[in-house]
Amino acid sequence: MKSFFLKFTEPKYLLKIAILAAVYYCSAVLGQSFAYSINKISLVWPPVGVSLAALIVFGLDLWPGVTIGALLATVTTQPTLFIALGITLGNTIEAIGAVYLLNLFEFKRSFESVKDVTVFIIFAAALSTLISAIIGTLSLILGGVGNWNSFLPIWSKWWVGDFLGDMIIAPPLLVWSRFAKFKLNYAYILQGILLFVVVALTSIGLFTGTFTQFSFNVQSQFKFLIFPLLIWASYKFKQKGSTLAVLLVTAICVWGVVTGSGPFVMAGNFDQSLIYLGVFAASISLTFMVFSVVIEQRDRAESEVVDSEKRFKSLIENSSDVIVLIDSKGAINYTSPSTYKVLQYTPEELLGTSAFDRIHPDDKARLISLFQQLISKPNKVISATFRLVRKDQSIIWVDGVGTNLLSDPTVSSVILNYRDVTERIKLDESKTEFVSLSAHQLRGPVATIRWYTESLMKAKAFPANLEGNLTEIYKSILSMNDAINLLLNVSRFELGTVEIKGAPVNLRGVVMDVLSEQEKFIKDRDIKVTNSTKVKIPDIIGDVDLIKIILENLIGNAIKYTPKGGKINVSLTPQEDNILFKIKDSGIGIPIKDQPKIFTKLFRGSNVKKLEPRGLGLGLYLIKLVVDLKGGSIWFESEEDKGTTFFVEFPKRIKTTAK
Ligand code: ADP
């Protein structure tokens, strides 16, 4: 409040108030010129619109300008000071209340949305004016002008005058106050001038008596001809055009009525004429305000779409990733320009060809099968690392992701994006080679230590008190041996140097072998193993070494992760093309959060450390490599502290690589 009073010492502020008061007063004088009926109540009361626009644009602080302007206007026209003060109070509250309510509802003065129009009509035009009409009418009656019987007629005309003042005068002032946003070019300005000349002439013809050719009948029948012009104004010039055109049309209509001509004039009933005119003005103002906002919103949405399309296009075209759109048969519909950098083919060369044409022959079958899986389900996403053959026949590795958007009508394609990862793969390969070499080097010495330890144990050639130590040494040698074998196997699979042989394999026999190899651990843990295989299992054509890797790891894990006294059940079930191996344990289970990562390299569950501190997190990773290579599948079901079941489908005939 203090700062508000301090403002009165600022010359700039005082000047602004003075200007607003002067403009208010002038607009009141203008309004008086079409005042009618008793007590000089005007049909359209411009000061209301002027004060509302001024307080919205320049801030609520300027309200004293409204008060002073209103006081000047009323003191000079009203019979007593009491009435003048009352009306002034009403006008001030009206302006402040309207702006307060508009701010509350985050009204934007450029009328950006239909919400802005609605808020403006309800809170500014309809509600705030109600207050001023009530206070004004009360002031007149209490001041001795009119009696209580005339309350309703005076109040209603007062309210209509203020309502139209807000509806017709404030919107053009508000939208034109943002002149900076107006794009200036000559064609645009010329069209604007032409439009307003046509609107003015048509309105003069339709709503005044200037052109005698237009009789009252013609004017009544054809007054709607102004509509196409208002549509033109709203369509081409949006809110700036519609509000100004409506103001122009209304002003000309008022002029017609005041001079006793035009389609709204009812002979002998001036009040009635003004009501017709008021309804007409309110409806064109409302209709075209909403219409122009809708057009503006549509244009804005359209240009946002165009902008985002441009952004998206430049993103794709400048990305180093290759983006390819293919149909359900694998034919290329689109490929981004970066395809040239990666594959040496231009997009034009690739259009219409099959996306599989440039895949390395060794990876083709795998990718075709992945593609079949991808298109089997809408929105499915599959990623893979594979090789591509470039135009100069050199080979590169890429990491690719495919997304099935065939059923999305805006895309209707499978989207593939991939990037060259040859360097990374080479680096990985050299690391794997290093691991493989080291494991090989360790294998010999470990075998020797194992052999000598076993002979020492057999010969009992050591003091009795050292037996425990020797057993520990032997256990450690065995686990070192397992770890080395695991590392060797992983590196062999990663380097792709495994030869897959195909020979008849008795799966049940392999399961029994592995169980008996693990017998010592099963006993140590006091685990009860059952086999629920019901039928005779036919031999499969497979690679016994690979099958053993899978079974050893799964059975080993079931034992490792099942506490003392637990249960394990194994079973084999023949299916159409596969044999399903199932191993169910009553162990610690896999926590939900770990489940998605369980087949990744070096991953160990968060709950295993207590039960089994040793472990490399490579077993399941290796199994997944083996299963993928053989064309089978593996999955699991698990609940923490309840147990885990692993399922593996062994194809009845595996894919072999042996010549
Ligand atoms: P490791 O056993 O050396 O940790 P694996 O790759 O064989 O590595 O297994 C990865 C992780 O999967 C394990 O650390 C464990 O968390 C979880 N896991 C595998 N099998 C089981 C099982 N039968 N029960 C509970 N957790 C298991």
Side-chain angles (χ1 to χ4, degrees), residues 340 343-346 349 389-394:
Y340 186 73
L343 282 184
Q344 302 166 333
Y345 288 102
T346 61
E349 285 176 293
V389 183
R390 303 170 91 201
K391 200 172 180 181
D392 66 1
Q393 299 306 307
S394 57

Side-chain angles (χ1 to χ4, degrees), residues 213-267:
Q213 298 88 327
F214 293 98
S215 65
F216 174 78
N217 276 347
V218 171
Q219 286 180 329
S220 304
Q221 295 298 325
F222 291 103
K223 57 178 179 286
F224 62 82
L225 280 181
I226 200 67
F227 278 58
L229 298 177
L230 290 173
I231 291 176
W232 176 15
S234 315
Y235 197 82
K236 188 73 202 171
F237 301 95
K238 315 283 155 34
Q239 293 91 322
K240 285 195 166 76
S242 75
T243 51
L244 205 59
V246 165
L247 175 67
L248 186 64
V249 172
T250 312
I252 293 172
C253 289
V254 170
W255 168 31
V257 172
V258 170
T259 54
S261 51
F264 305 108
V265 170
M266 298 296 294

Side-chain angles (χ1 to χ4, degrees), residues 535-551:
V535 289
K536 190 169 162 18
I537 304 297
D539 283 1
I540 61 167
I541 303 299
D543 186 316
V544 72
D545 294 336
L546 300 187
I547 292 170
K548 228 172 158 190
I549 290 178
I550 298 173
L551 295 175

